[in-house]
Amino acid sequence: MFESLKFKHRMAKVISGFSKLSKQEKIDWLAKNFFNNQNEIIQTIQQYWNADEALQQLHDDFIENTITNFYMPYGIAPNFIINGKEHVIPMVVEESSVVAAASLVAKFWSTRGGFKTQVISTTKIGHVHFMFEGDKKELYSYFQEQKSKLYEATYSITKNMEKRGGGILDIILVDKTEELDNYYQLHVTFETKDSMGANFINSCLETMANQFRRNDIEIVMSILSNYVPECLVKAEVSCDVAELGGNNPEKFAKKFEQAVKIAEIEPYRAVTHNKGIMNGIDAVVLATGNDFRAIEAGAHAYAAKNGTYSSLSHCEVKDGVFKFWIELPLALGTVGGLTAIHPMAKLSLDMMGRPSAPELMEIIATAGLAQNFAALRALTTKGIQHGHMKMHLMNILNQMSASTEEKELISKEFENKTVSHSGVVEALENLRKKV
């Protein structure tokens, strides 16, 4: 009997046609079924709506079942010199030390030649995955007959891209039967210019699949790959070791190089090392309305391209010169998708001078390298917590509902002390006891 009542209670929270409800109806249903403090929850949800109804509607239409907006801090990191040009880089991130670290490192390298970047390639990849049990020679013969027709079949999709210098670069038939019985693929390479190109690539692939299919060819799926090892960008900094500054620049350079080499050979360290790089990269990817999940997946796959997960960045200290660089795949767009309709994404691109997709690759790779330099400098000198917890101090004080006066007094107390959560809580409690 008790179990039956529990089941009925669970079923009462299952709803059909939810997407057809109005936004307010969705919120009311949510509050009624999943919260006790309904009025407070509804008020919290509604206070994050934009006062501009048209702008709010734009955001509502980005995804299904939107009930409100989730704010993330939008900061800027100035003083980046990239290939001799000054940049301010927008960053959307919740981690307290990311923007501060990027800004500090940008200023540091602005007086040491700045960042040098180079786009190596912008090729993207997609596949038609299919099964075939027949004679391999006959399949290859069929592919050769069909290859020109595959181009022709997609012409209505590719003609505008071709006018901009992009399109389908090549189509090859790949035999994967040693890894999976009867499995083959059409491996297709693309150039999508300033578009990230996901919709373009997927539309081309599905059209090719329809053209290529026959009774003995079972199409499994047609989809782009977020692993783009030929869509590569490199960013680097270098200077004489003596220019690194500090009490002992030679020792710092050596420890820094050792830290990178540890990340190159130790996967446990490499994951955290690369996560720090992605702190900088994801923040700019988000600010420009690009797909940070695709960038993450592609970067981490590239970090494991040699069979062991390794560092995306590298360092060399040789003949008195310090050199630090990164090479990674970044499939980005500056037209289409959210970049074309999200007002803040458009503002971000305007801030950076309306970069082309390759130029955006260079900027974002630079942000990743700067973030990595900041983290490694902290790790090999004062330790990562010294600066990080200083930035985290305000978060702790806000959690404790500290007043403006309390924030000023506690900040002053921890000016020359290592910040810890327990230490801040204790200091604030002691301060309040005195009042």
Side-chain angles (χ1 to χ4, degrees):
M1 181 66 174
F2 181 66
E3 286 298 317
S4 176
L5 287 172
K6 281 174 66 178
F7 178 75
K8 287 180 179 178
H9 178 67
R10 287 198 300 270
M11 290 306 292
K13 296 182 179 182
V14 176
I15 182 171
S16 297
F18 183 72
S19 64
K20 294 181 174 62
L21 298 179
S22 69
K23 183 162 69 171
Q24 191 60 56
E25 287 171 337
K26 291 185 180 82
I27 293 168
D28 291 343
W29 175 87
L30 176 70
K32 179 182 177 181
N33 286 281
F34 291 90
F35 293 97
N36 294 323
N37 50 338
Q38 293 181 32
N39 291 334
E40 183 183 336
I41 292 303
I42 291 172
Q43 183 182 359
T44 299
I45 289 170
Q46 291 179 343
Q47 75 182 8
Y48 281 89
W49 291 357
N50 198 291
D52 184 327
E53 289 186 13
L55 184 58
Q56 183 57 55
Q57 187 61 53
L58 176 69
H59 284 71
D60 286 349
D61 291 341
F62 286 159
I63 60 170
E64 193 171 87
N65 296 340
T66 306
I67 59 171
T68 193
N69 307 310
F70 187 95
Y71 289 175
M72 291 274 280
Y74 181 105
I76 57 171
N79 300 318
F80 274 92
I81 307 296
I82 305 173
N83 295 336
K85 183 179 178 182
E86 300 87 356
H87 284 275
V88 173
I89 297 182
M91 307 183 87
V92 173
V93 64
E94 89 297 342
E95 191 166 325
S96 55
S97 59
V98 170
V99 178
S103 302
L104 198 64
V105 170
K107 185 70 180 295
F108 178 87
W109 284 105
S110 69
T111 58
R112 293 166 174 82
F115 294 82
K116 306 292 189 298
T117 59
Q118 176 192 3
V119 171
I120 298 167
S121 175
T122 55
T123 301
K124 293 162 190 170
I125 295 165
H127 298 99
V128 176
H129 303 272
F130 68 94
M131 299 295 181
F132 175 74
E133 296 184 27
D135 180 69
K136 290 184 180 183
K137 289 183 179 179
E138 194 276 327
L139 178 64
Y140 276 92
S141 177
Y142 175 70
F143 169 70
Q144 290 302 325
E145 291 172 13
Q146 285 288 310
K147 189 169 182 178
S148 61
K149 295 177 183 178
L150 296 175
Y151 285 101
E152 291 169 12
T154 58
Y155 180 68
S156 63
I157 304 169
T158 62
K159 60 183 179 182
N160 288 331
M161 185 67 77
E162 288 174 5
K163 288 176 183 175
R164 300 198 298 271
I168 299 168
L169 301 178
D170 196 12
I171 309 169
I172 61 173
L173 175 63
V174 179
D175 181 349
K176 305 286 283 187
T177 55
E178 287 190 6
E179 293 144 274
L180 179 64
D181 288 347
N182 307 319
Y183 170 41
Y184 297 83
Q185 55 183 226
L186 298 181
H187 178 97
V188 190
T189 49
F190 298 86
E191 170 56 62
T192 62
K193 304 308 289 181
D194 287 335
S195 168
M196 188 272 171
N199 290 331
F200 168 77
I201 291 171
N202 288 336
S203 296
C204 287
L205 293 170
E206 289 179 2
T207 301
M208 287 181 190
N210 287 330
Q211 172 64 37
F212 196 68
R213 79 171 69 240
R214 65 184 193 185
N215 290 338
D216 58 350
I217 292 176
E218 179 190 359
I219 304 296
V220 178
M221 56 187 167
S222 308
I223 185 73
L224 88 162
S225 174
N226 289 127
Y227 183 42
V228 283
E230 295 174 21
C231 189
L232 286 175
V233 60
K234 181 179 179 180
E236 70 173 58
V237 288
S238 64
C239 69
D240 291 340
V241 169
E243 291 182 54
L244 289 170
N247 295 329
N248 192 334
E250 290 78 14
K251 183 179 179 181
F252 166 74
K254 187 63 180 175
K255 281 188 72 177
F256 192 102
E257 182 185 30
Q258 288 169 337
V260 175
K261 291 191 180 304
I262 288 170
E264 288 176 340
I265 59 97
E266 173 50 74
Y268 281 95
R269 172 59 199 140
V271 170
T272 310
H273 178 94
N274 289 343
K275 184 269 181 185
I277 291 171
M278 302 314 289
N279 279 346
I281 287 174
D282 285 350
V284 194
V285 172
L286 276 167
T288 56
N290 274 279
D291 186 347
F292 76 92
R293 298 160 302 276
I295 295 300
E296 280 274 350
H300 293 302
Y302 190 74
K305 68 183 186 300
N306 294 324
T308 302
Y309 190 89
S310 182
S311 170
L312 289 166
S313 63
H314 309 280
C315 182
E316 179 183 76
V317 179
K318 187 177 180 181
D319 299 328
V321 175
F322 172 89
K323 182 181 176 183
F324 181 50
W325 72 97
I326 190 170
E327 182 181 288
L328 79 165
L330 291 174
L332 300 164
T334 56
V335 298
L338 276 189
T339 61
I341 56 176
H342 197 300
M344 292 304 294
K346 290 193 282 187
L347 185 147
S348 294
L349 293 171
D350 286 342
M351 184 189 304
M352 294 183 287
R354 301 301 306 181
S356 64
E359 288 169 338
L360 185 59
M361 289 169 68
E362 294 176 327
I363 292 168
I364 291 180
T366 296
L369 188 67
Q371 206 66 39
N372 197 211
F373 182 86
L376 291 172
R377 183 168 64 176
L379 281 167
T380 55
T381 53
K382 295 180 179 179
I384 200 72
Q385 287 302 92
H386 179 82
H388 181 76
M389 293 306 290
K390 285 280 187 184
M391 295 299 300
H392 194 48
L393 175 61
M394 280 304 141
N395 289 343
I396 301 170
L397 292 172
N398 284 330
Q399 288 172 21
M400 300 291 293
S401 301
S403 66
T404 301
E405 184 181 1
E406 287 173 334
K407 288 177 182 178
E408 289 176 358
L409 290 169
I410 297 297
S411 296
K412 189 172 183 180
E413 182 174 340
F414 280 90
E415 265 181 355
N416 298 308
K417 290 167 62 176
T418 299
V419 176
S420 70
H421 189 279
S422 59
V424 174
V425 171
E426 183 181 350
L428 186 58
E429 289 174 347
N430 290 337
L431 178 64
R432 286 172 173 172
K433 287 176 185 176
K434 295 176 183 177
V435 178

